[in-house]
Amino acid sequence: RILRRSGVAMSRERLAWAAVSAEKDRMSWDTPQGYETLRRAYADQDVEVLEMCHDAPGWLGRVGKYPADLPATVAQWAEIARRWQSTWGAVEVWNEPDIFFGDNLPGDQYAALVKAVSLGLAAGGCARPVVGGVCAHYHEDFLNACHANGMLDFIDALSFHTYARAPEMEPLVEKY
């Protein structure tokens, strides 16, 4: 209610994907974190969610911190989209994959995850924008690997984070 009253149209929420899908073929929509309840509350107040998927379920296998079973990842995100897409403004794939949150893996590994999530969202009938990148720093090798592996064909927006001061933003934007 406070967000809506303050004019905030969208709130970023970190979805611990492993909490919702701790076991294969069994989704726990609310979980102790209250994911379902929170998304209903946002919807009741007409505030969209910028869903940020993170923390892949262990049953998918792992490549670093990312899921190894990409076809199952597609199926998972189709199911999640069918459930929650009406509450979303957009879906952000992972948080700061260019650092330890992505297990310091190269961009080609992240690009594969982005493609799988994007294909899953489309299979679930989701027309919400897909946000990729979400980088913590400007890592040219990481970004070039993402580009070379087709990530830009599967996203609607590229996001980056910075903890720098405002005067440093213009050159950073220019680099991206």
Side-chain angles (χ1 to χ4, degrees), residues 96 98-99 134-140 142-143 160-161 163 172 176:
E96 301 180 344
D98 57 322
I99 60 173
V134 200
C135 296
H137 304 286
Y138 182 82
H139 289 135
E140 195 165 335
F142 182 87
L143 293 168
F160 65 90
H161 299 165
Y163 303 97
L172 183 60
Y176 274 97

Coordinates of all heavy atoms in Angstrom, one line a residue, residues 96 98-99 134-140 142-143 160-161 163 172 176:
E96 N 23.6 -10.5 -10.6 CA 25.0 -10.3 -10.7 C 25.8 -11.6 -11.1 O 26.6 -12.1 -10.3 CB 25.5 -9.6 -9.4 CG 24.9 -8.3 -9.2 CD 25.3 -7.5 -8.0 OE1 25.9 -8.1 -7.0 OE2 25.1 -6.3 -7.9
D98 N 28.0 -12.1 -13.1 CA 29.4 -11.9 -13.5 C 30.3 -12.0 -12.3 O 31.6 -11.9 -12.5 CB 29.6 -10.5 -14.2 CG 29.1 -9.4 -13.4 OD1 28.1 -9.5 -12.6 OD2 29.7 -8.3 -13.4
I99 N 29.8 -12.2 -11.1 CA 30.7 -12.3 -9.9 C 30.3 -13.7 -9.2 O 29.8 -14.6 -9.8 CB 30.6 -11.1 -9.0 CG1 29.1 -10.9 -8.5 CG2 31.1 -9.8 -9.7 CD1 29.0 -9.8 -7.4
V134 N 22.2 -7.9 -15.7 CA 22.1 -7.7 -14.2 C 23.5 -7.8 -13.6 O 23.7 -8.3 -12.5 CB 21.1 -8.8 -13.6 CG1 20.7 -8.3 -12.2 CG2 19.9 -9.1 -14.5
C135 N 24.5 -7.2 -14.3 CA 25.9 -7.4 -14.0 C 26.3 -6.4 -12.8 O 25.7 -5.3 -12.7 CB 26.7 -7.0 -15.2 SG 26.5 -8.2 -16.5
A136 N 27.2 -6.9 -12.0 CA 27.7 -6.1 -10.9 C 28.8 -5.1 -11.4 O 29.0 -4.0 -10.8 CB 28.3 -7.0 -9.8
H137 N 29.5 -5.5 -12.4 CA 30.7 -4.7 -12.9 C 30.7 -4.8 -14.4 O 30.1 -5.7 -15.0 CB 32.0 -5.2 -12.4 CG 32.0 -5.3 -10.9 ND1 32.2 -4.2 -10.1 CD2 32.0 -6.3 -10.0 CE1 32.2 -4.5 -8.8 NE2 32.0 -5.8 -8.7
Y138 N 31.4 -3.9 -15.0 CA 31.6 -4.0 -16.5 C 32.8 -5.0 -16.7 O 33.9 -4.6 -16.6 CB 31.9 -2.6 -17.1 CG 32.1 -2.7 -18.6 CD1 30.9 -2.7 -19.4 CD2 33.3 -2.8 -19.2 CE1 31.1 -2.7 -20.8 CE2 33.4 -2.9 -20.5 CZ 32.3 -2.9 -21.3 OH 32.4 -3.0 -22.7
H139 N 32.4 -6.2 -17.0 CA 33.4 -7.2 -17.4 C 33.2 -7.5 -18.9 O 32.3 -8.2 -19.3 CB 33.1 -8.5 -16.6 CG 33.4 -8.4 -15.1 ND1 32.6 -8.9 -14.2 CD2 34.5 -7.9 -14.5 CE1 33.1 -8.7 -13.0 NE2 34.3 -8.1 -13.2
E140 N 34.1 -6.9 -19.6 CA 34.0 -7.0 -21.1 C 34.0 -8.5 -21.6 O 33.2 -8.8 -22.5 CB 35.1 -6.2 -21.8 CG 34.8 -5.9 -23.2 CD 35.7 -4.8 -23.8 OE1 36.2 -4.0 -23.0 OE2 35.9 -4.9 -25.0
F142 N 33.1 -11.2 -20.1 CA 31.8 -11.8 -19.7 C 30.7 -11.3 -20.7 O 29.9 -12.2 -21.2 CB 31.4 -11.4 -18.3 CG 30.1 -12.0 -17.8 CD1 30.1 -13.3 -17.2 CD2 28.9 -11.3 -17.9 CE1 28.9 -13.9 -16.8 CE2 27.7 -11.9 -17.5 CZ 27.8 -13.2 -16.9
L143 N 30.6 -10.0 -20.9 CA 29.6 -9.5 -21.8 C 29.7 -9.9 -23.2 O 28.8 -10.3 -23.9 CB 29.6 -8.0 -21.7 CG 29.1 -7.4 -20.3 CD1 29.5 -5.9 -20.2 CD2 27.7 -7.7 -20.1
F160 N 22.3 -3.5 -15.5 CA 23.5 -3.5 -14.7 C 23.4 -2.8 -13.4 O 22.5 -1.9 -13.3 CB 24.7 -3.0 -15.6 CG 24.6 -1.5 -15.9 CD1 25.2 -0.6 -15.0 CD2 24.0 -1.1 -17.0 CE1 25.1 0.8 -15.3 CE2 23.9 0.3 -17.3 CZ 24.5 1.2 -16.5
H161 N 24.1 -3.2 -12.5 CA 24.2 -2.5 -11.2 C 25.4 -1.7 -11.0 O 26.5 -2.1 -11.6 CB 24.1 -3.6 -10.0 CG 22.9 -4.4 -10.1 ND1 22.8 -5.6 -9.4 CD2 21.7 -4.3 -10.7 CE1 21.6 -6.1 -9.6 NE2 20.9 -5.3 -10.4
Y163 N 27.5 0.7 -7.9 CA 27.6 1.2 -6.6 C 28.4 2.5 -6.6 O 28.9 3.0 -5.6 CB 28.1 0.2 -5.6 CG 27.2 -1.1 -5.7 CD1 27.5 -2.2 -6.4 CD2 26.0 -1.1 -5.0 CE1 26.7 -3.3 -6.6 CE2 25.1 -2.2 -5.1 CZ 25.5 -3.3 -5.9 OH 24.7 -4.4 -6.0
L172 N 30.1 4.9 -17.6 CA 29.7 3.5 -17.5 C 28.6 3.1 -18.5 O 28.7 2.1 -19.2 CB 29.2 3.2 -16.1 CG 28.9 1.7 -15.7 CD1 30.1 0.8 -16.0 CD2 28.4 1.6 -14.3
Y176 N 28.8 0.2 -21.6 CA 27.8 -0.8 -21.9 C 27.2 -0.7 -23.3 O 27.0 -1.6 -24.0 CB 26.7 -0.8 -20.8 CG 27.0 -1.6 -19.6 CD1 27.5 -1.0 -18.4 CD2 26.8 -3.0 -19.6 CE1 27.8 -1.7 -17.3 CE2 27.1 -3.7 -18.4 CZ 27.6 -3.1 -17.3 OH 27.9 -3.8 -16.2

